[in-house]
Amino acid sequence: MTYDFNHIVLMAKKRNKATIDTLTAVYDLLTKLNIDTHIDVTTARLLDLKKFPTINANEFKDNIDLAIAIGGDGSLLHAARTVVHQNVPILGVNRGRLGFLTDINPDNLDQITDVLSGQYTKEKRFLLYAHVQHDESTICKADALNDVVLLPDAIAHMIDFDIFIDNKCMCNLRADGLIIATPTGSTAYALSGGGPILHPELDSVVLVPMFPHSLTYRPIVIDANSEIKVVVSNLNNGISPAISCDGQPSIPLQTGDIIKIIKNRNYLNVIHPNTYNYYDALRSKLHWAKKLGQD
Amino acid sequence: MTYDFNHIVLMAKKRNKATIDTLTAVYDLLTKLNIDTHIDVTTARLLDLKKFPTINANEFKDNIDLAIAIGGDGSLLHAARTVVHQNVPILGVNRGRLGFLTDINPDNLDQITDVLSGQYTKEKRFLLYAHVQHDESTICKADALNDVVLLPDAIAHMIDFDIFIDNKCMCNLRADGLIIATPTGSTAYALSGGGPILHPELDSVVLVPMFPHSLTYRPIVIDANSEIKVVVSNLNNGISPAISCDGQPSIPLQTGDIIKIIKNRNYLNVIHPNTYNYYDALRSKLHWAKKLGQD
Amino acid sequence: MTYDFNHIVLMAKKRNKATIDTLTAVYDLLTKLNIDTHIDVTTARLLDLKKFPTINANEFKDNIDLAIAIGGDGSLLHAARTVVHQNVPILGVNRGRLGFLTDINPDNLDQITDVLSGQYTKEKRFLLYAHVQHDESTICKADALNDVVLLPDAIAHMIDFDIFIDNKCMCNLRADGLIIATPTGSTAYALSGGGPILHPELDSVVLVPMFPHSLTYRPIVIDANSEIKVVVSNLNNGISPAISCDGQPSIPLQTGDIIKIIKNRNYLNVIHPNTYNYYDALRSKLHWAKKLGQD
Amino acid sequence: MTYDFNHIVLMAKKRNKATIDTLTAVYDLLTKLNIDTHIDVTTARLLDLKKFPTINANEFKDNIDLAIAIGGDGSLLHAARTVVHQNVPILGVNRGRLGFLTDINPDNLDQITDVLSGQYTKEKRFLLYAHVQHDESTICKADALNDVVLLPDAIAHMIDFDIFIDNKCMCNLRADGLIIATPTGSTAYALSGGGPILHPELDSVVLVPMFPHSLTYRPIVIDANSEIKVVVSNLNNGISPAISCDGQPSIPLQTGDIIKIIKNRNYLNVIHPNTYNYYDALRSKLHWAKKLGQD
């Protein structure tokens, strides 16, 4: 029998029994199918897995045709930022509840066999690329599948900053911060901040001001192909804002620093089993009703 | 001298002195420039204007190359629904405050001369097309530049309805109603309902539930090329919902009725003077700051 | 054995098998305990109950010391507006999910025996009293346990109105309407409109503007002993607003009409079994977590 | 002539020319009226004022009958936390726009003479008192006229905490933080977070969850005489939350720490000139319309 994916790498992030058990079960399933299977080196180190063959992330490009991430949406985000540069598609195995990106139920690994046999859809998701300049030198570059967040060093201190879209001034904001989210990230942190849900097929990003000082600011959705520039104002006395991509540890900024955010050229290819349905995931996550009478 | 537009129709909706004065001033300006200028027949009747040459809306297509709407955004909406089917572009003259679509200040009609001389940009805006079916027969068809709104006969009675996107069930909602807004409409009624601002270049629509019974429903932005289907549930005892396009008088619905909403094939071409800037209009309308220290 | 309540009336609103079965079961339980039990005349007529002794609402005051309402929060609201004028306390039997006011589970009617034996707490809830004046004559008076709602004849038409608190101008509003809610009503319609939750012990009301035209209006909480006056502006051309108390059929208003809202002098006494806990009810209704790790 | 206040202290916080000029003008005005006037020692040091008689804060109680705070609402907050323990009333002189608490316009200091002559109203505002326990020992005590805020060390990390009201569990929250605001603080930071406005006469506090993980949490208003207890959960791995009172530098917390918040026994007495009107201040600050047609 032939499969659509024949060289697979397994990735995970959390060192706990459930993850190790699922990873081992997936490994066993794949090797039984005679699929060439490796564990990502960083994963092996993190989870202290010694008996599996490993592979380095920078070797994925030529040797791997599918990455399987095991864990929650956080683990998939982490794996995604690695595989996107290697042009390797990703499939998520969730532990427990249905995730937006991690569709495979660990109690039903047969779904993986179905995917390998061709019963899947491929969905393109874009990432953001943030680039921070201080005095004309670049101090940081980072990718984000969910969001780029501008935040203060302490929440009670408002930041003053200016937003430019394609070099046109959108506005000045005095707020606790700003969330710039992709459609993928629109159901994560941005949603808590009052942002709208963006359907994953949209080529748009949403800017959600956090606790704006004036009550008339609203989330605004713009073309993902725009260049967003956030300039930390010189009026911020004694405040040290920071940026964080996908909730990763934040990078401190200084007044006058410029954050440029554009769409990453590389797309992430997410593999979904054919049973996947975006609205099912949405309803499940947000406890929306499907039919009448369910309260 | 040659102009980009040589056959112009003037349109208005409100019968008051300010509108008539501005319309007369625009007429005088255009005839002085030797532009062939008419007044739309309906406008002439509504404002009781007798001394101007008139033209019927169904003759615009072959005889008119620009419509100038005089009034607020409401008047432009009204004119837009007429000219879009005639493929005639539209320019708005506002009375007073800066509008999103009506850019020309009546105190500065020289801007019209500038536009005629080629100093303008053309912006495409899409409309929605709503189509209501009752027992398989069509009971209503309407266009909307801003929004299609599902509403109850009395606000205190919740409506039960199901939403389908491209024939996939999105969810069931129990709410006071639903606003389906274009980017143009995103800064109108939908904004009061907590919807996001959609940049006018986006090919998206936003669905904003009105006072949903469950607290987890949020505005959702989807591709404008999707087919949206709203089915009024049979569970609505004694409630008669209705739909309204762009705030026009509403059309009553019965349980089981199906509202289909798709993007109108015809785009509206809006003419903006070169001084127009979307973010300027946004900041002005929403009282956003441009620079620091203004609040 | 002696009981705290010896003359009980049963009230209900919905004519369906579940309600009739529960009402009959409660009746049987009470008569077995030798409690003098009647059915409210209106209830008997509505549910077509012929074999029970009945009593008129205007006889409650001298003959009844407890009313038991069977149904959802809507049925209790209805019964409450009757018994409050008779100074009779009320106990709610819910059908199904935990209600805010209807605490007794129909599958566990022993809780009623516990209440009769003295295992209960009494909670005072206040009602609003709305009074509408047209040209100095009163056109309507009504009580509300949840809310008084000003609403337009059709949702898409904004109403202009002025709000005065103790004869001081609070503001002018241009909105779809206004919800004035008690603490009891703060978890009902007002919550869908973005209002805060008011703890039931508070002597406060909240004013929630509905879809206000300007984005800076917010829910405002004031002393329940204030006089609220809403004046429908003369600027409302062709709009006929209305008011509705507790979602009852609405009463049409004309421009210039004045709505006065004050606290009702009579309080409703709600009887809760000792197992009742407000925060339990809140968490259950709103799906809030009690402990970590539940979501 | 006799005055209602004869021993006055001047307080300020910001060292800049406008503040010093206004403070000097107020000093000159008062001494001309033969009022015994001092500058608070800390203010004199902060603003480097050497030629004025000074007085220590702990001597206010027996020697001072009015404090005048010069600056914005921030400066008044600062002065208020000092004078509240000395039982000295406070009057605010604002620089520029109308404040909620600083009513005197620096261009119209005659209003001060009016106040001294008895043309004023006295308004009681309560403060919160926060008390943090770590392993049964108190690690911090602080007052807040506006708010007590629980916040994470970095905004992107959610905090898990439990809220108890009078020792009853209200809920567990997973959020960026929690704002507990007085009526005075309800128009400050809590308002940006979606909280309601609480009329200053209310004896209530509002709890506003910040970016809660679940969408069903809402601001909740409770009796100010309740004891609020926030317990930082042991599940917060690697997160160090903190608390901040009135935006003062924050105090770091550890998992298991308990924050107790009660109403301060001492009230702040705010002196308002007779021209003061709360709703005027509200409309002015929030750009609400007073009359129709102002948009």
Side-chain angles (χ1 to χ4, degrees):
Chain A
M1 174 152 194
T2 58
Y3 293 110
D4 283 38
F5 305 101
N6 296 292
H7 305 279
I8 296 185
V9 66
L10 307 186
M11 303 176 82
K13 209 183 134 196
K14 284 218 171 155
R15 183 177 176 167
N16 59 34
K17 190 174 179 309
T19 305
I20 294 172
D21 286 356
T22 302
L23 186 143
T24 308
V26 174
Y27 183 85
D28 290 348
L29 171 79
L30 295 175
T31 46
K32 225 174 275 168
L33 299 173
N34 289 319
I35 307 264
D36 169 41
T37 310
H38 289 80
I39 310 288
D40 156 59
V41 161
T42 314
T43 302
R45 207 173 300 137
L46 230 77
L47 278 71
D48 198 22
L49 303 170
K50 285 173 182 157
K51 60 174 188 173
F52 301 98
T54 60
I55 184 169
N56 242 309
N58 58 18
E59 295 171 301
F60 287 4
K61 193 166 208 159
D62 299 320
N63 301 295
I64 294 293
D65 50 20
L66 179 68
I68 298 183
I70 293 146
D73 279 350
S75 302
L76 194 129
L77 280 181
H78 187 255
R81 285 190 304 266
T82 301
V83 302
V84 71
H85 297 293
Q86 307 287 325
N87 201 23
V88 171
I90 196 163
L91 173 71
V93 176
N94 204 349
R95 294 206 326 277
R97 290 168 305 130
L98 184 61
F100 277 108
L101 295 172
T102 53
D103 317 298
I104 303 286
N105 185 329
D107 297 333
N108 186 9
L109 295 181
D110 287 350
Q111 287 182 291
I112 295 182
T113 321
D114 294 343
V115 164
L116 299 182
S117 313
Q119 295 173 45
Y120 65 89
T121 51
K122 195 190 276 189
E123 189 188 36
K124 277 193 339 181
R125 297 273 180 133
F126 72 83
L127 287 86
L128 294 174
Y129 170 72
H131 174 271
V132 183
Q133 270 184 302
H134 177 72
D135 278 352
E136 297 181 27
S137 62
T138 298
I139 57 167
C140 134
K141 295 172 183 181
D143 293 321
L145 180 56
N146 267 353
D147 45 39
V148 178
V149 180
L150 175 71
L151 55 147
D153 56 353
I155 211 172
H157 295 123
M158 294 222 161
I159 314 172
D160 273 305
F161 52 97
D162 296 294
I163 305 174
F164 297 84
I165 307 299
D166 291 332
N167 288 315
K168 274 186 225 152
C169 172
M170 175 190 272
C171 65
N172 166 260
L173 256 175
R174 198 168 138 72
D176 270 11
L178 178 71
I179 305 168
I180 299 163
T182 64
T184 303
S186 73
T187 46
Y189 192 51
L191 197 63
S192 303
I197 297 162
L198 306 185
H199 188 282
E201 276 173 21
L202 294 181
D203 198 21
S204 309
V205 292
V206 61
L207 281 66
V208 181
M210 297 163 73
F211 287 32
H213 185 242
S214 157
L215 301 180
T216 60
Y217 287 92
R218 289 294 150 107
I220 178 164
V221 184
I222 64 169
D223 188 327
N225 301 295
S226 310
E227 184 207 61
I228 302 166
K229 203 165 72 185
V230 178
V231 182
V232 180
S233 160
N234 292 312
L235 295 189
N236 293 292
N237 290 321
I239 311 275
S240 319
I243 73 157
S244 170
C245 290
D246 284 351
Q248 297 289 102
S250 60
I251 297 138
L253 302 175
Q254 287 180 270
T255 60
D257 283 2
I258 297 169
I259 310 163
K260 274 191 196 162
I261 295 145
I262 56 171
K263 202 166 88 171
N264 203 310
R265 262 167 309 178
N266 301 314
Y267 284 82
L268 178 72
N269 288 300
V270 180
I271 301 297
H272 293 296
N274 279 345
T275 52
Y276 171 81
N277 175 314
Y278 172 69
Y279 294 117
D280 285 350
L282 199 61
R283 280 196 310 271
S284 162
K285 282 279 195 180
L286 301 181
H287 307 290
W288 288 3
K290 184 172 188 177
K291 291 191 262 170
L292 281 166
Q294 295 180 334
D295 184 9
Chain B
M1 177 153 193
T2 59
Y3 293 111
D4 284 39
F5 305 101
N6 294 293
H7 305 279
I8 297 184
V9 66
L10 306 187
M11 304 178 81
K13 209 184 135 197
K14 285 219 169 152
R15 182 179 178 168
N16 59 35
K17 192 175 176 307
T19 306
I20 295 172
D21 286 356
T22 301
L23 185 143
T24 309
V26 173
Y27 184 85
D28 290 348
L29 171 80
L30 295 175
T31 47
K32 225 174 274 169
L33 298 173
N34 290 318
I35 307 263
D36 169 43
T37 311
H38 288 82
I39 311 288
D40 156 60
V41 160
T42 315
T43 301
R45 206 174 299 136
L46 230 79
L47 278 70
D48 199 23
L49 302 170
K50 284 170 183 157
K51 60 170 191 179
F52 301 98
T54 59
I55 184 169
N56 244 308
N58 57 18
E59 294 172 302
F60 287 3
K61 195 169 207 156
D62 299 321
N63 301 294
I64 294 293
D65 50 20
L66 179 69
I68 298 182
I70 293 147
D73 278 351
S75 303
L76 194 131
L77 281 181
H78 188 256
R81 286 189 304 266
T82 301
V83 302
V84 71
H85 297 294
Q86 307 288 325
N87 200 23
V88 171
I90 197 163
L91 173 71
V93 177
N94 204 348
R95 292 206 329 275
R97 292 168 304 129
L98 184 63
F100 277 109
L101 296 172
T102 54
D103 318 296
I104 304 285
N105 185 327
D107 297 333
N108 185 8
L109 295 181
D110 287 350
Q111 288 183 292
I112 296 184
T113 321
D114 293 344
V115 164
L116 299 182
S117 313
Q119 296 172 44
Y120 66 88
T121 51
K122 197 189 276 190
E123 189 188 36
K124 278 192 339 182
R125 299 275 180 133
F126 72 84
L127 287 85
L128 294 173
Y129 170 71
H131 174 271
V132 184
Q133 270 184 302
H134 176 72
D135 278 353
E136 297 183 26
S137 63
T138 297
I139 58 167
C140 135
K141 294 172 183 178
D143 292 321
L145 180 55
N146 266 353
D147 44 39
V148 178
V149 180
L150 175 72
L151 56 151
D153 58 351
I155 211 171
H157 295 124
M158 294 222 161
I159 315 171
D160 272 306
F161 53 95
D162 296 295
I163 305 173
F164 296 85
I165 307 298
D166 291 331
N167 288 315
K168 274 185 224 150
C169 172
M170 175 190 273
C171 65
N172 166 259
L173 254 175
R174 199 168 138 71
D176 270 11
L178 178 71
I179 305 168
I180 299 164
T182 64
T184 304
S186 73
T187 46
Y189 193 49
L191 196 64
S192 302
I197 296 162
L198 305 185
H199 189 280
E201 275 172 22
L202 295 180
D203 200 22
S204 310
V205 293
V206 61
L207 280 67
V208 181
M210 296 163 72
F211 285 32
H213 187 241
S214 157
L215 300 181
T216 61
Y217 287 92
R218 288 294 149 108
I220 178 165
V221 184
I222 64 169
D223 189 327
N225 300 295
S226 311
E227 184 207 61
I228 302 165
K229 203 164 71 184
V230 178
V231 182
V232 181
S233 160
N234 292 312
L235 294 189
N236 294 292
N237 290 322
I239 311 275
S240 317
I243 73 155
S244 171
C245 290
D246 286 350
Q248 298 289 102
S250 61
I251 298 137
L253 302 175
Q254 286 179 271
T255 59
D257 283 0
I258 296 170
I259 309 163
K260 274 191 195 163
I261 294 144
I262 56 169
K263 200 166 89 171
N264 204 308
R265 261 167 311 179
N266 301 314
Y267 284 83
L268 178 71
N269 288 300
V270 180
I271 301 296
H272 293 295
N274 279 345
T275 52
Y276 171 81
N277 174 314
Y278 172 68
Y279 294 117
D280 285 349
L282 199 61
R283 282 195 309 270
S284 163
K285 280 281 194 181
L286 300 180
H287 307 290
W288 288 4
K290 184 173 187 177
K291 291 192 263 169
L292 281 166
Q294 295 181 334
D295 181 14
Chain C
M1 175 152 197
T2 58
Y3 292 111
D4 283 38
F5 305 101
N6 295 294
H7 306 279
I8 295 184
V9 66
L10 306 186
M11 304 176 81
K13 210 183 132 196
K14 285 220 169 151
R15 182 178 178 167
N16 59 35
K17 192 175 176 308
T19 305
I20 295 170
D21 286 356
T22 302
L23 186 143
T24 308
V26 173
Y27 184 86
D28 290 349
L29 170 79
L30 295 175
T31 47
K32 224 173 276 168
L33 299 173
N34 289 318
I35 307 264
D36 169 42
T37 309
H38 288 81
I39 311 287
D40 156 60
V41 161
T42 315
T43 301
R45 206 172 302 135
L46 230 77
L47 277 69
D48 199 21
L49 302 169
K50 284 172 183 155
K51 60 171 189 174
F52 302 98
T54 60
I55 184 168
N56 243 309
N58 57 18
E59 295 172 301
F60 287 5
K61 193 168 209 157
D62 298 320
N63 301 295
I64 294 294
D65 50 20
L66 179 69
I68 298 183
I70 293 146
D73 278 349
S75 302
L76 194 130
L77 279 182
H78 188 256
R81 285 189 304 265
T82 300
V83 302
V84 72
H85 297 293
Q86 307 288 326
N87 199 22
V88 171
I90 196 163
L91 173 71
V93 177
N94 204 349
R95 293 204 329 275
R97 291 168 305 126
L98 183 63
F100 277 108
L101 296 172
T102 55
D103 318 297
I104 304 285
N105 185 327
D107 296 334
N108 185 9
L109 295 181
D110 287 350
Q111 287 182 292
I112 295 183
T113 322
D114 295 343
V115 164
L116 300 181
S117 314
Q119 295 171 43
Y120 66 89
T121 51
K122 196 189 276 188
E123 188 188 37
K124 279 192 339 182
R125 297 274 181 134
F126 72 85
L127 286 85
L128 294 174
Y129 170 72
H131 174 270
V132 183
Q133 270 185 303
H134 176 71
D135 278 352
E136 297 183 26
S137 63
T138 297
I139 58 167
C140 135
K141 294 173 185 180
D143 292 322
L145 179 56
N146 267 352
D147 44 40
V148 178
V149 180
L150 174 71
L151 55 149
D153 56 353
I155 210 171
H157 295 123
M158 294 223 161
I159 315 172
D160 272 305
F161 53 96
D162 296 294
I163 305 174
F164 297 84
I165 307 299
D166 292 330
N167 288 315
K168 273 185 225 149
C169 172
M170 176 189 272
C171 64
N172 166 259
L173 255 175
R174 198 169 140 71
D176 269 12
L178 178 72
I179 304 168
I180 298 163
T182 64
T184 304
S186 73
T187 45
Y189 193 49
L191 197 62
S192 303
I197 296 162
L198 305 185
H199 189 280
E201 278 173 20
L202 294 181
D203 198 22
S204 310
V205 292
V206 62
L207 281 66
V208 181
M210 297 164 72
F211 285 33
H213 186 242
S214 157
L215 300 181
T216 61
Y217 288 92
R218 289 294 150 107
I220 177 164
V221 184
I222 64 169
D223 189 327
N225 301 296
S226 311
E227 184 206 63
I228 302 166
K229 203 165 72 186
V230 178
V231 182
V232 180
S233 161
N234 292 311
L235 295 190
N236 293 293
N237 291 320
I239 311 277
S240 318
I243 72 155
S244 170
C245 290
D246 285 351
Q248 299 288 102
S250 60
I251 298 138
L253 303 175
Q254 287 181 271
T255 60
D257 283 1
I258 296 170
I259 310 163
K260 274 191 195 162
I261 295 146
I262 55 170
K263 201 166 90 171
N264 203 308
R265 262 166 311 180
N266 301 313
Y267 284 82
L268 178 72
N269 288 299
V270 179
I271 301 297
H272 293 295
N274 280 344
T275 52
Y276 171 81
N277 175 312
Y278 172 69
Y279 294 118
D280 284 350
L282 199 61
R283 281 195 309 271
S284 162
K285 281 280 193 179
L286 301 181
H287 308 290
W288 288 2
K290 184 172 186 177
K291 292 192 260 169
L292 281 167
Q294 293 182 334
D295 181 11
Chain D
M1 177 153 192
T2 58
Y3 293 110
D4 283 40
F5 305 102
N6 295 293
H7 305 279
I8 297 184
V9 66
L10 306 186
M11 303 178 82
K13 209 182 134 197
K14 284 218 170 153
R15 182 177 177 165
N16 59 35
K17 190 174 177 309
T19 306
I20 295 172
D21 286 355
T22 301
L23 185 144
T24 307
V26 174
Y27 184 85
D28 290 348
L29 171 79
L30 295 175
T31 47
K32 225 174 275 171
L33 298 173
N34 289 318
I35 307 261
D36 169 41
T37 310
H38 288 82
I39 310 289
D40 156 60
V41 160
T42 314
T43 302
R45 205 172 300 136
L46 230 77
L47 278 71
D48 199 22
L49 302 170
K50 284 172 183 156
K51 60 174 189 174
F52 301 98
T54 59
I55 185 169
N56 243 310
N58 57 18
E59 295 171 300
F60 287 3
K61 195 169 208 158
D62 299 320
N63 300 293
I64 294 294
D65 50 20
L66 179 69
I68 298 183
I70 293 146
D73 278 351
S75 303
L76 194 130
L77 281 180
H78 188 255
R81 286 189 305 265
T82 301
V83 302
V84 72
H85 297 293
Q86 307 287 326
N87 200 23
V88 171
I90 196 164
L91 173 71
V93 177
N94 203 348
R95 292 208 327 275
R97 290 169 305 130
L98 185 62
F100 276 108
L101 295 172
T102 54
D103 317 298
I104 303 287
N105 185 327
D107 297 334
N108 185 9
L109 295 181
D110 287 351
Q111 287 182 292
I112 295 183
T113 321
D114 295 344
V115 165
L116 299 181
S117 314
Q119 295 172 44
Y120 66 89
T121 51
K122 198 189 274 190
E123 190 189 35
K124 278 193 338 182
R125 299 275 180 133
F126 71 83
L127 286 85
L128 294 173
Y129 170 72
H131 173 269
V132 183
Q133 271 184 302
H134 176 71
D135 277 353
E136 297 184 26
S137 62
T138 297
I139 57 166
C140 132
K141 296 173 183 179
D143 293 321
L145 180 56
N146 267 352
D147 45 39
V148 178
V149 180
L150 174 71
L151 56 149
D153 58 351
I155 212 172
H157 295 122
M158 294 221 162
I159 315 172
D160 272 307
F161 53 96
D162 296 296
I163 304 174
F164 296 85
I165 307 298
D166 291 331
N167 288 316
K168 275 185 225 150
C169 172
M170 175 190 273
C171 65
N172 167 259
L173 255 175
R174 199 168 138 71
D176 270 10
L178 179 70
I179 304 168
I180 299 164
T182 64
T184 304
S186 73
T187 46
Y189 193 50
L191 197 63
S192 302
I197 296 162
L198 306 185
H199 189 281
E201 276 172 20
L202 295 180
D203 199 22
S204 310
V205 292
V206 61
L207 280 66
V208 181
M210 298 163 72
F211 286 31
H213 186 241
S214 157
L215 300 181
T216 62
Y217 288 92
R218 288 294 149 110
I220 179 164
V221 184
I222 64 169
D223 189 327
N225 300 295
S226 311
E227 184 207 63
I228 303 166
K229 203 164 73 186
V230 178
V231 183
V232 180
S233 160
N234 293 311
L235 295 189
N236 294 291
N237 291 321
I239 310 275
S240 318
I243 73 154
S244 170
C245 290
D246 286 350
Q248 298 289 102
S250 60
I251 298 138
L253 303 174
Q254 287 180 271
T255 59
D257 283 1
I258 296 170
I259 309 164
K260 273 191 197 164
I261 294 146
I262 56 170
K263 201 167 89 172
N264 203 309
R265 263 167 310 179
N266 301 313
Y267 283 82
L268 177 72
N269 287 300
V270 179
I271 301 297
H272 292 295
N274 279 345
T275 51
Y276 172 81
N277 175 313
Y278 172 68
Y279 294 117
D280 284 349
L282 199 60
R283 282 195 310 270
S284 162
K285 281 279 195 182
L286 300 181
H287 308 289
W288 288 4
K290 183 172 189 177
K291 291 192 260 168
L292 281 166
Q294 297 180 332
D295 182 10

